[in-house]
Amino acid sequence: MSQLTIVLLITVFMIISFFLHKVPFGLTTMTCCALLFFTGIFDLPTAFGGLSNKNVILVAGMFVMSAAFGKTSLLKKIRENISKMEAKRGIVLLIIFYGLAIIFAQFLPTTGNMTIMIMFLLSLSDTGDITPSRMLLPVLGIISVWGTKLPIGMGATSFANLNARYEGLGASPNQLLGVFDRFKVSIIPCILILIYCMAAYKLMPNRPIAQEKLKETKEQKEISKRDETIIYITFILVMFSLFFNKLLGDFMYGIPILGALLLAWTGAMSTNEVVKSITSDSTWMLAGVLVMADAMGQTGAGDAIGNLIIHILGGNPSGIAVLTVFAIATVLMTTFMSNSATSNILIPIAASTAIAGGMDPRGVVLIVSCCSGYAIAFPSGSPACGIAFATGQYKIGETLKFTIPFLIIGTVSMVLCANFFFPVYG
């Protein structure tokens, strides 16, 4: 049996287990990692290498920061104010949460943004119309679609990153992207998705997920002024590190863990509290999902999909057909592989296909770049998606009535906009 076949079978097992959700997500993905080792796909360090992945380290540290912040009096005040807003007009809450997600998405990594937003979402009560279980995926969708789309912050250099991936494939200078190109192609899909999420959060399951956390907070003894001050200072420093991620580079990913160690060393949090936060189900699940994504990439699943795309396009395809096929392929791949892996695999394929066919590659490159962010339908789509699913304890089937229309709206509008601004036969 080939390695590709084995990986696909393990992936099917993961999908079925996620759908049924009879065991914690983390147990499912760690089982997948063990299977990758016992079947000889990966050696032991590689099979469980997700535990040392920089995104996993970042998320684990942020869980500690979130737990620490939950002990402070400031969060209690935030909860009180949110409760008052809930009692008045829900539309205000939606604007606040989506607005914060959009602003943070221009400066923060998606994973860090999602962990921060979860901290505030869990301040909502589990009763009423707008609840944490209803808001987790819509907020993730806003973060994913709007991330680095405005030409500010990280978005101001995204065009250069994309150009670097295909300019060496034979693209002419007038086929390279400018600083505003990604923005003008994606702004209409972003607005349409925002409008959709303003109403469609009601399609999400409405059930308690915050009560246990609130109960834990209430049962905690009031912390001292000294400990609260240490938590505030540590939290602020960690937040600043996320905003200056480009300056700090990979060092940024370890700063939340350093903050967690500082909290434990100073006694602001107990060692047990820190360990419990770091070893949550979300951490285990995320580590396993990243390894599975690597397995799919290294065994040729991505190349197989790319070859299938070229075969489907055939000879002399229409411009809209080219864009549509790459959009659908990207959305399907980013559902089961990580969004970064999807874009890394498909952008060179898309650009090469376009250039070889005498087409303008900008439209297909932007299609892949933007649609790879539509990773909200399955936990393996991105680290942020895995965190959202683990926090909400969702079954895949119960989220489809929200995620499928989301993907259709985003994909169709993206294809039409790319075809308008950068037709492949333009």
Side-chain angles (χ1 to χ4, degrees), residues 347-393:
I347 284 177
I349 293 174
S352 297
T353 302
I355 293 170
M359 310 173 196
D360 187 334
R362 290 177 293 178
V364 289
V365 168
L366 289 169
I367 281 280
V368 175
S369 172
C370 295
C371 287
S372 63
Y374 296 173
I376 71 163
F378 210 72
S380 54
S382 71
C385 191
I387 296 168
F389 269 86
T391 303
Q393 292 294 296

Side-chain angles (χ1 to χ4, degrees), residues 51-64:
L51 294 170
S52 61
N53 180 276
K54 63 183 182 181
N55 281 301
V56 176
I57 293 171
L58 171 68
V59 169
M62 287 303 299
F63 285 154
V64 179

Side-chain angles (χ1 to χ4, degrees), residues 58-313:
L58 171 68
V59 169
M62 287 303 299
F63 285 154
V64 179
M65 292 298 103
S66 178
F69 194 72
K71 295 161 65 89
T72 65
S73 59
L74 178 58
L75 188 61
K76 294 177 182 177
K77 293 177 181 177
I78 291 173
R79 284 184 176 132
E80 291 171 0
N81 290 328
I82 287 177
S83 297
K84 291 177 182 177
M85 285 187 285
E86 282 184 281
K88 293 178 180 178
R89 296 188 65 187
I91 189 68
V92 176
L93 276 179
L94 292 176
I95 292 172
I96 289 173
F97 281 121
Y98 291 157
L100 285 175
I102 291 171
I103 293 171
F104 289 164
Q106 311 315 312
F107 302 97
L108 297 176
T110 302
T111 306
N113 190 355
M114 193 62 206
T115 54
I116 293 172
M117 292 305 300
I118 285 176
M119 179 180 65
F120 289 110
L121 288 173
L122 291 177
S123 299
L124 293 166
S125 69
D126 277 324
T127 59
D129 185 51
I130 301 176
T131 61
S133 67
R134 278 185 161 179
M135 291 295 293
L136 283 167
L137 279 194
V139 166
L140 169 67
I142 296 296
I143 292 172
S144 300
V145 172
W146 281 85
T148 67
K149 296 302 190 301
L150 303 181
I152 58 175
M154 292 188 290
T157 59
S158 59
F159 79 100
N161 182 285
L162 292 175
N163 286 339
R165 300 191 195 189
Y166 76 94
E167 61 185 344
L169 299 175
S172 62
N174 64 346
Q175 291 179 331
L176 297 179
L177 296 166
V179 65
F180 292 103
D181 289 343
R182 195 163 181 256
F183 167 75
K184 66 184 182 184
V185 166
S186 62
I187 188 60
I188 292 177
C190 285
I191 292 172
L192 291 177
I193 288 294
L194 176 60
I195 293 171
Y196 171 74
C197 289
M198 291 294 289
Y201 72 91
K202 295 182 180 180
L203 298 175
M204 290 294 295
N206 193 6
R207 61 163 181 263
I209 63 171
Q211 291 295 337
E212 183 178 345
K213 294 183 177 293
L214 289 173
K215 183 179 178 183
E216 290 176 0
T217 301
K218 291 177 182 177
E219 290 176 349
Q220 290 171 348
K221 295 180 181 179
E222 188 173 334
I223 60 176
S224 67
K225 190 67 177 177
R226 166 193 172 274
D227 289 348
E228 190 165 23
T229 301
I230 292 173
I231 290 173
Y232 286 145
I233 293 173
T234 306
F235 187 82
I236 290 171
L237 290 175
V238 169
M239 291 302 103
F240 267 107
S241 74
L242 295 179
F243 277 97
F244 290 98
N245 59 87
K246 290 196 70 175
L247 181 64
L248 294 171
D250 284 348
F251 181 69
M252 177 271 296
Y253 290 88
I255 290 179
I257 285 291
L258 293 177
L261 295 175
L262 176 63
L263 293 176
W265 180 68
T266 58
M269 287 186 75
S270 69
T271 303
N272 286 339
E273 288 176 315
V274 172
V275 171
K276 182 180 178 181
S277 297
I278 289 176
T279 58
S280 67
D281 181 56
S282 297
T283 304
W284 296 112
M285 187 202 69
L286 179 56
V289 160
L290 292 174
V291 172
M292 284 300 300
D294 288 342
M296 291 188 69
Q298 292 183 29
T299 54
D303 292 335
I305 293 173
N307 292 330
L308 178 62
I309 294 171
I310 295 173
H311 178 72
I312 292 172
L313 288 173

Side-chain angles (χ1 to χ4, degrees), residues 7-29:
V7 170
L8 289 176
L9 289 174
I10 296 174
T11 303
V12 170
F13 161 75
M14 182 178 72
I15 292 170
I16 293 173
S17 183
F18 279 171
F19 263 102
L20 297 176
H21 198 191
K22 298 295 185 181
V23 297
F25 287 144
L27 179 58
T28 293
T29 56

